[in-house]
Amino acid sequence: MPVAVPQLWSYEHVSETKEDLDWADLPTIDLAKFGTEEGKRELSQTLLEAIRTKGFFYVINFGISQEKVDRQFALGQRFYELPLEEKLKYVPDLDAGEYNGYRPAGRRVLAGGLRDKVEVFNMPKWNGHFPMDYPSLITENQAEIEAFARSLHTHVLDPLHELIALALELPPDFFVNLHRYDDVSEDHLRYMKYLRFTAAEQALIEAGDGLQTQGHTDLGTLTLLFRQPVAALQIKDHATGAWKWARPLDGSLTVNTCDALSFLTGNYIKSTVHRVSLPPRDQRHVDRLGLLYFARPRNDLELRTVDAPRLKREGYTQNEFEKEGHKVPTMGEFTKLKQTWQQRKLDQFRALDGQDILPGFKGQYHD
């Protein structure tokens, strides 16, 4: 007699906002064009323009089904439905810069004096280098989660890294070789939840700056954000400095450039400033569930400006560490120091703004 196989829970996305927001006009990288040399040349120039001028862009036709994406959203939803006492078993030493595992809400103070309502669960690469305890929900679905994370390298990150290398006139596999899944690096998959605020709490936040997360940069090379419909992400335009809302585009990834890529290109490619606002009023009654992947080069890589023909031709040959004669950190060193700065539990709004993270680099919140 056949045995019924339990199905993983489904996940339904909420409705998009109907408010007329000031949306960012972001370029789109269509990876359906990646299969030909002509297509790669076209995409590399589109991508270079995107990351030089906007820092954010969409990726479509990346070869991972919406069903597989939604199964990760469903797992994330189920994780956050676990009792708090169960989730608290997986909290790392956050004050010491550890971040794989569960980070409970309430570690940061918002402008209105409230504590944040952001929960984070980070899972490092399943490559044998990062042993970690997980709840049974995760261990029972480990094979699926690992396959999904590996597919992000194969289908998304490898093509994007190749396109960046081509744009900088480097060998096509230059950045791919710095981001191999089986190497020791701090890449991680994240389930992230922004819990909704009450009307009274919303009023306090709006009396401050209206933000759930201050303007900041990410510390790796690229961040992948899977489309979810609750508008809240805002992007600071490189050219104008204006803040714009990031539109949730169907079937897309929203991708941004980060600190390590800026270091490696002598600041030719800038780390993109972004923040998370209160959602528009017609979406404030729901929680915002995020699915993200943070790409980082291998831990032993020194973050020196790469020897790229385009960078030399345009005069980008030193990053901030090199220009000022400071020791250039490895990716592992930089990650540990910036995560320690970011994750410290605070009792005051912006308590660590402007603090030296290491010689040549300050921790900053961006307005």
Short mmCIF file of all heavy atoms in Angstrom, two decimals, residues 203-227:
data_model
loop_
_atom_site.label_atom_id
_atom_site.label_comp_id
_atom_site.label_asym_id
_atom_site.label_seq_id
_atom_site.Cartn_x
_atom_site.Cartn_y
_atom_site.Cartn_z
N ALA A 203 3.17 55.33 15.06
CA ALA A 203 3.16 56.78 15.27
C ALA A 203 4.47 57.24 15.91
O ALA A 203 5.02 58.28 15.54
CB ALA A 203 1.97 57.17 16.14
N LEU A 204 5.00 56.47 16.87
CA LEU A 204 6.27 56.82 17.50
C LEU A 204 7.42 56.78 16.50
O LEU A 204 8.29 57.65 16.49
CB LEU A 204 6.56 55.86 18.66
CG LEU A 204 5.81 56.12 19.96
CD1 LEU A 204 6.08 54.99 20.95
CD2 LEU A 204 6.23 57.46 20.57
N ILE A 205 7.42 55.75 15.65
CA ILE A 205 8.48 55.62 14.65
C ILE A 205 8.40 56.76 13.64
O ILE A 205 9.41 57.35 13.26
CB ILE A 205 8.39 54.25 13.95
CG1 ILE A 205 8.67 53.13 14.95
CG2 ILE A 205 9.37 54.17 12.78
CD1 ILE A 205 8.37 51.76 14.43
N GLU A 206 7.19 57.09 13.22
CA GLU A 206 7.03 58.18 12.25
C GLU A 206 7.41 59.53 12.86
O GLU A 206 7.87 60.43 12.14
CB GLU A 206 5.59 58.22 11.75
CG GLU A 206 5.26 57.06 10.81
CD GLU A 206 3.87 57.17 10.25
OE1 GLU A 206 2.92 57.35 11.03
OE2 GLU A 206 3.73 57.07 9.01
N ALA A 207 7.27 59.66 14.16
CA ALA A 207 7.70 60.90 14.82
C ALA A 207 9.21 61.02 14.83
O ALA A 207 9.76 62.11 14.99
CB ALA A 207 7.15 60.95 16.24
N GLY A 208 9.89 59.88 14.64
CA GLY A 208 11.34 59.89 14.51
C GLY A 208 11.73 60.03 13.05
O GLY A 208 11.57 61.08 12.45
N ASP A 209 12.20 58.92 12.45
CA ASP A 209 12.61 59.00 11.04
C ASP A 209 11.84 58.04 10.14
O ASP A 209 12.10 57.97 8.94
CB ASP A 209 14.12 58.74 10.90
CG ASP A 209 14.55 57.40 11.48
OD1 ASP A 209 13.67 56.56 11.78
OD2 ASP A 209 15.77 57.18 11.65
N GLY A 210 10.89 57.28 10.71
CA GLY A 210 10.06 56.39 9.91
C GLY A 210 10.75 55.10 9.49
O GLY A 210 10.21 54.37 8.66
N LEU A 211 11.91 54.80 10.08
CA LEU A 211 12.70 53.67 9.61
C LEU A 211 12.68 52.50 10.59
O LEU A 211 12.66 52.68 11.80
CB LEU A 211 14.15 54.09 9.38
CG LEU A 211 14.38 55.21 8.35
CD1 LEU A 211 15.87 55.55 8.29
CD2 LEU A 211 13.87 54.80 6.97
N GLN A 212 12.76 51.29 10.01
CA GLN A 212 12.95 50.09 10.80
C GLN A 212 14.43 49.69 10.87
O GLN A 212 14.87 49.07 11.82
CB GLN A 212 12.16 48.92 10.21
CG GLN A 212 10.67 49.15 10.16
CD GLN A 212 9.94 47.94 9.63
OE1 GLN A 212 9.73 46.97 10.33
NE2 GLN A 212 9.55 47.99 8.37
N THR A 213 15.19 50.04 9.83
CA THR A 213 16.63 49.79 9.78
C THR A 213 17.30 51.01 9.17
O THR A 213 16.88 51.51 8.13
CB THR A 213 16.95 48.55 8.93
OG1 THR A 213 16.29 47.41 9.49
CG2 THR A 213 18.45 48.28 8.91
N GLN A 214 18.35 51.50 9.81
CA GLN A 214 19.06 52.68 9.34
C GLN A 214 19.79 52.41 8.02
O GLN A 214 20.09 51.27 7.68
CB GLN A 214 20.08 53.12 10.39
CG GLN A 214 19.47 53.56 11.70
CD GLN A 214 18.66 54.82 11.55
OE1 GLN A 214 19.15 55.84 11.08
NE2 GLN A 214 17.39 54.78 11.95
N GLY A 215 20.11 53.50 7.30
CA GLY A 215 20.88 53.37 6.08
C GLY A 215 22.23 52.74 6.36
O GLY A 215 22.95 53.15 7.27
N HIS A 216 22.59 51.72 5.56
CA HIS A 216 23.81 50.97 5.80
C HIS A 216 24.29 50.33 4.51
O HIS A 216 23.60 50.36 3.48
CB HIS A 216 23.55 49.87 6.84
CG HIS A 216 22.59 48.82 6.37
ND1 HIS A 216 21.21 49.02 6.34
CD2 HIS A 216 22.78 47.56 5.88
CE1 HIS A 216 20.61 47.94 5.88
NE2 HIS A 216 21.54 47.04 5.58
N THR A 217 25.48 49.75 4.55
CA THR A 217 25.98 48.94 3.44
C THR A 217 26.18 47.52 3.94
O THR A 217 26.38 47.27 5.12
CB THR A 217 27.32 49.49 2.91
OG1 THR A 217 28.29 49.48 3.98
CG2 THR A 217 27.17 50.91 2.38
N ASP A 218 26.15 46.56 3.01
CA ASP A 218 26.43 45.16 3.33
C ASP A 218 27.93 44.91 3.18
O ASP A 218 28.61 45.61 2.43
CB ASP A 218 25.64 44.23 2.41
CG ASP A 218 24.13 44.34 2.61
OD1 ASP A 218 23.72 44.84 3.67
OD2 ASP A 218 23.39 43.91 1.71
N LEU A 219 28.44 43.88 3.84
CA LEU A 219 29.89 43.78 3.91
C LEU A 219 30.53 42.80 2.93
O LEU A 219 31.75 42.70 2.88
CB LEU A 219 30.33 43.46 5.34
CG LEU A 219 29.88 42.16 6.00
CD1 LEU A 219 30.75 40.99 5.63
CD2 LEU A 219 29.90 42.34 7.52
N GLY A 220 29.77 42.08 2.12
CA GLY A 220 30.34 41.11 1.20
C GLY A 220 30.60 41.65 -0.18
O GLY A 220 31.08 42.77 -0.36
N THR A 221 30.25 40.85 -1.19
CA THR A 221 30.39 41.30 -2.58
C THR A 221 29.03 41.60 -3.20
O THR A 221 28.79 42.70 -3.68
CB THR A 221 31.13 40.24 -3.43
OG1 THR A 221 30.63 38.94 -3.12
CG2 THR A 221 32.62 40.27 -3.18
N LEU A 222 28.12 40.62 -3.16
CA LEU A 222 26.76 40.80 -3.68
C LEU A 222 25.77 40.25 -2.67
O LEU A 222 26.02 39.23 -2.03
CB LEU A 222 26.57 40.08 -5.01
CG LEU A 222 27.42 40.54 -6.20
CD1 LEU A 222 27.23 39.59 -7.38
CD2 LEU A 222 27.08 41.97 -6.60
N THR A 223 24.63 40.92 -2.54
CA THR A 223 23.51 40.41 -1.75
C THR A 223 22.34 40.13 -2.69
O THR A 223 21.99 40.98 -3.52
CB THR A 223 23.08 41.42 -0.67
OG1 THR A 223 24.16 41.66 0.22
CG2 THR A 223 21.89 40.90 0.12
N LEU A 224 21.73 38.96 -2.54
CA LEU A 224 20.57 38.56 -3.33
C LEU A 224 19.34 38.63 -2.45
O LEU A 224 19.28 38.00 -1.39
CB LEU A 224 20.74 37.12 -3.85
CG LEU A 224 22.06 36.75 -4.52
CD1 LEU A 224 22.03 35.28 -4.98
CD2 LEU A 224 22.37 37.67 -5.69
N LEU A 225 18.34 39.37 -2.89
CA LEU A 225 17.08 39.51 -2.17
C LEU A 225 15.97 38.98 -3.06
O LEU A 225 15.72 39.52 -4.14
CB LEU A 225 16.82 40.98 -1.81
CG LEU A 225 15.44 41.32 -1.24
CD1 LEU A 225 15.23 40.65 0.11
CD2 LEU A 225 15.27 42.83 -1.12
N PHE A 226 15.29 37.92 -2.60
CA PHE A 226 14.20 37.36 -3.38
C PHE A 226 12.96 38.23 -3.26
O PHE A 226 12.65 38.76 -2.19
CB PHE A 226 13.90 35.93 -2.94
CG PHE A 226 14.90 34.95 -3.48
CD1 PHE A 226 16.07 34.70 -2.79
CD2 PHE A 226 14.70 34.32 -4.69
CE1 PHE A 226 17.02 33.82 -3.28
CE2 PHE A 226 15.63 33.44 -5.20
CZ PHE A 226 16.81 33.19 -4.50
N ARG A 227 12.26 38.31 -4.35
CA ARG A 227 11.08 39.18 -4.43
C ARG A 227 10.06 38.79 -3.37
O ARG A 227 9.65 37.64 -3.24
CB ARG A 227 10.48 39.05 -5.84
CG ARG A 227 9.27 39.95 -6.10
CD ARG A 227 7.98 39.20 -5.93
NE ARG A 227 6.81 40.03 -6.25
CZ ARG A 227 5.59 39.73 -5.85
NH1 ARG A 227 5.35 38.66 -5.13
NH2 ARG A 227 4.58 40.53 -6.19
#
